[in-house]
Structure formats: structure tokens, C-alpha cells
Amino acid sequence: MRISNIIRKVGASTRSVSFLNSFFSALVGLGTFMLLTRVLSKSNFGAWAFFISVFTMFDMLRSGMLGSATVKFYTEKVPDLQLRQIERSVGQLGAKISAFTLVIPLIYFFFGLEESYPAYSLIAYAFVPLSFINLIPSVATWFCQAKQGFKQMLYVRAASQLSFLLFAVAGLFWEYSLNTVFLGYMGSWLIATLYVLSARLVKLSWILNKERAFRAQLLSYGKFTMTTLLGSNMLKNSDTYLIMGFLNEFSVARYSVPDRILGFIDMPIRAFTTADFPRFVALVNQKLEEELQDAFNKGLGLALVVVWPISLAVFLGAEELVVHIAGPNYRDSSLILRIFAIYGFLLPLDRYTGIMIDALGFPKKNMYKVLSMLLLNVVLDVVVLSLGYGVESVAMVSLATYSLGVTFGFIVIRKKVKLEIFKSLSIGLKLMLLKIGLKV
């Protein structure tokens, strides 16, 4: 088969386009990460990594409340009038959630935390403008996912990520302070906002309105998915927070490097689940149980076929990866990366059970799944850090955490969808070979 035919075939698949979308985002993000480790001092880089983890938690909270609910309701066959109501309700609620960030600088200022914790001033004062500036691009990506318009989603992400990458490149020639990096980050989101508005992916009228028609439905569904995503983000970043509290910025920096590399293992999973979630929702709504099992096997199988070899390669080449990406100063992070690679084998199983629970209409049970994982992770982290163990022990805790998540998830969905791991692997391998034009 000709290369051009393979490219056309790949481009016609929503999973493939979503994968390319995530691959681009991860690649540019990794490039920016590599540059910032060289532009900033180790202490400033640790503070920046901490800020990003906190802001990501807020962004995930807002996305959890509205993103999944947008896909749930916008992908159903509803009249155009209701679609317009959903658009305006999502925009309005997004603005209201962003307005809550005003509480952060008020608490920081009025409780005198500025003197006690001067290192956190960037986080306190940066939240409010940044939360509003990145709202419009965020809303655009939710509706792009609902419409399965992953190419437009790629353009939105490229506008912010490429501009920040160029800003990081300039840091090799000019000295940047931590505040300068933040201003560059905020500017990159402003560029994305201008692109979204010019492309009319989102209208300002969606934000500035008093639509009430779909607010109750969005909030009812979103309160569980928000807690789930918030718990997921806390699960992802609780290690960073506890390391910062028990140890120091240098330890956070050591931990952040392998955590960033782990994003390449997580990347195809996020891509596939982003594409498969609307498909699962549609099959559940149509009560097509056999087709739902088949779709689950296909999605999980592709994720396993792609992710397991990547995890193995990362485990074997951990030291070379760390040194190449972050430099020789971070060589001691290679053991942490090897541990991450081991639990990377569990990630596809955990993510697919999670989106299936939501698609089946059990967001509350998915919330319990994530919160139980978070509780176990925090308790074990506190224990190992209190006993004087290092960041490697924190990484080891993740193996127990994700094992619990996989077990919990399959217990919840077992009456509707079965775990057929060998069948999933077989289907995933056949689909992968077909994608590249090989007969099976």
C-alpha cells in the first residue's frame, strides 16, 4: 500500500486524528519542558512545576464540571434550539466557575500569607487573569470533542502551545525570571483565545448571557464528573504537593522530569479515550450492548497494543531518556521513571473502565473509584515520607493505587461490559496492522 493511502486511511479515523492531536501536544509540551529545565534554575523550575500542577487542577475542575457534560448532552440527537441553549449555558457556567478564583488572592492577601509564603505570590495573583484568558480555548475544545472535530482541537492547542514553545526558545538568549515565564504563558493562552474567536469556534455571546435552560442538567451530571476529574488531578499531583511539603523544590524537580516523560505513555490513552467516549455514550443511549462490548474491546485493545511496548521501551531506556530530555543533573531520576513505566502497563485498563462507567451513566461510582484511589495514594505517601523514604518510594505507591483503580472499575462495569483482555489484544493488533495496510 502506498504511503499516501496509509496517511489518508489514518486521517479518516477519529482515534488516529485524536492520537496525532495528543502526540503533537505531548511533543510540543515536552520540548517546552526541556527548554524550561535549562532556562530556569532548579529551584525556580520546581516552583514553576508546582504552579502548573495547581493551575492544572483548577482547569481540570472546570473541565470536569462542564467538559464531560457537554459531550454527554451535545452528542445526543436534540433540536438546534437546545444545542444553542447548551452552548450558552456552558459558556456562562464556565465564566462563573472562573470567577471563583477571585477567592485565592483575597485569602492570600487578607490572611497575611504574603509575608509567610512569598514564594506562592505567583500562584495567588496569577490565577484570576489566567483562568479567564484560557476559558474560551477550553470551551472550544469541549465542543470540538463533542462534535469529534479533533482537527480543530489541534489548531486550538497549537495556537497556545507553539507560541509558548517559541517563547521558551527565546529564553536561551535572554534571561527569564519566574514572573517573565508566567507572562509568556499567559500570552500564549491569549493568542489561542484570539484564534478561537476569529475562527468563530466560540462566541463571546455564549459567555455573556443569562441562559438557564440547560444549567440544571449540566450541573447535575457535572458535579460527579467534576469530583472525579478533580480527584484524578489530585491523584496525579498529590505526590508533588506532598513531596513539596515533606521535602523541597529540588525533590519536586527530580520527580517532575519522569512525570513529564510519563506523559508520552499516557498520551495515546488520552487520545483514544477522548475519541471513544462519545462513541460509547451513543451506543449506551441506543441500548446496543453487543456493539458496546465490541467497541470497548477495540478501544482497549488499541490502547494496550500501543502503550505496552512504549512502557517497556521507557523502562529499558530510562536513564538515557532522562539525561537526553532534562540533562545530566537529573540522572538520579531514572529509577523513578522505571517505576512509572511499570504502572504504565495498568493505565489503559484504568482509563477505559473510567470512561465506560461515565458512559453507562454511573458518574457517581466513577467518583467513588477515583476518590478511593486518591485516599490510598495520600495515606501511603504520607507513611513512606514520614518514615524518611525518598521520592522513589512515592513512585512505588502508584503501583498499589492503580491496581486498586483497575479492580474497582471492572467490578462496577462487569454486568454490562466484560474484561476480555486477550480478545482485546487480538482485536487491537489486527486493527493496528490494518491501519498500516497489512492484511491479517
Side-chain angles (χ1 to χ4, degrees), residues 13-19 22 71 145-146 148 150 153 268-281 299 352 355:
S13 166
T14 54
R15 285 195 191 96
S16 299
V17 176
S18 180
F19 175 76
S22 294
V71 175
Q145 182 185 359
Q148 299 201 44
F150 297 109
M153 187 186 292
I269 308 172
R270 284 185 283 109
F272 294 157
T273 53
T274 298
D276 282 332
F277 180 58
R279 185 177 292 112
F280 292 170
V281 169
Y352 266 88
I355 66 165

Side-chain angles (χ1 to χ4, degrees), residues 20 32 184 187 234 236 333 341 392 429:
L20 292 174
T32 305
M234 286 294 294
K236 178 179 173 60
S333 295
E392 290 81 5
L429 183 59

Side-chain angles (χ1 to χ4, degrees), residues 145-194:
Q145 182 185 359
K147 300 172 185 177
Q148 299 201 44
F150 297 109
K151 289 183 181 178
Q152 285 289 358
M153 187 186 292
L154 174 62
Y155 301 151
V156 174
R157 289 177 174 173
S160 63
Q161 289 189 301
L162 284 179
S163 55
F164 191 55
L165 175 65
L166 292 174
F167 171 83
V169 170
L172 297 174
F173 305 98
W174 289 280
E175 185 175 346
Y176 282 169
S177 67
L178 193 59
N179 287 335
T180 305
V181 172
F182 163 72
L183 291 174
Y185 186 67
M186 190 161 62
S188 68
W189 278 111
L190 182 59
I191 291 171
T193 297
L194 294 175

Side-chain angles (χ1 to χ4, degrees), residues 160-342:
S160 63
Q161 289 189 301
L162 284 179
S163 55
F164 191 55
L165 175 65
L166 292 174
F167 171 83
V169 170
L172 297 174
F173 305 98
W174 289 280
E175 185 175 346
Y176 282 169
S177 67
L178 193 59
N179 287 335
T180 305
V181 172
F182 163 72
L183 291 174
Y185 186 67
M186 190 161 62
S188 68
W189 278 111
L190 182 59
I191 291 171
T193 297
L194 294 175
Y195 166 73
V196 168
L197 293 175
S198 64
R200 300 183 66 81
L201 298 177
V202 172
K203 300 177 183 178
L204 276 177
S205 60
W206 296 4
I207 311 294
L208 308 172
N209 74 89
K210 297 182 179 181
E211 182 65 63
R212 306 179 69 89
F214 257 85
R215 283 172 54 180
Q217 293 96 317
L218 290 166
L219 292 174
S220 178
Y221 186 87
K223 65 185 178 183
F224 296 117
T225 55
M226 177 195 70
T227 307
T228 299
L229 272 181
L230 178 60
S232 296
N233 186 263
M234 286 294 294
L235 177 61
K236 178 179 173 60
N237 292 296
S238 59
D239 293 345
T240 300
Y241 303 148
L242 290 169
I243 291 170
M244 187 79 163
F246 278 87
L247 302 175
N248 49 48
E249 294 94 339
F250 298 101
S251 298
V252 171
R254 276 190 63 211
Y255 197 82
S256 295
V257 170
D259 189 48
R260 171 62 68 169
I261 299 172
L262 180 68
F264 264 95
I265 299 176
D266 193 39
M267 175 194 64
I269 308 172
R270 284 185 283 109
F272 294 157
T273 53
T274 298
D276 282 332
F277 180 58
R279 185 177 292 112
F280 292 170
V281 169
L283 292 172
V284 170
N285 290 338
Q286 297 170 49
K287 297 181 170 57
L288 300 174
E289 294 184 3
E290 291 185 10
E291 289 82 353
L292 181 64
Q293 178 70 62
D294 184 55
F296 181 78
N297 285 339
K298 287 180 180 178
L300 177 60
L302 274 173
L304 293 175
V305 168
V306 172
V307 170
W308 282 5
I310 295 175
S311 296
L312 180 60
V314 169
F315 180 85
L316 296 175
E319 185 172 342
E320 292 78 7
L321 272 172
V322 167
V323 172
H324 182 70
I325 289 172
N329 290 337
Y330 291 87
R331 189 184 299 273
D332 56 354
S333 295
S334 58
L335 177 56
I336 302 171
L337 181 57
R338 285 196 172 93
I339 298 169
F340 282 172
I342 294 172

Side-chain angles (χ1 to χ4, degrees), residues 43-54:
S43 177
N44 277 347
F45 179 74
W48 172 253
F50 184 68
F51 165 74
I52 287 296
S53 69
V54 175

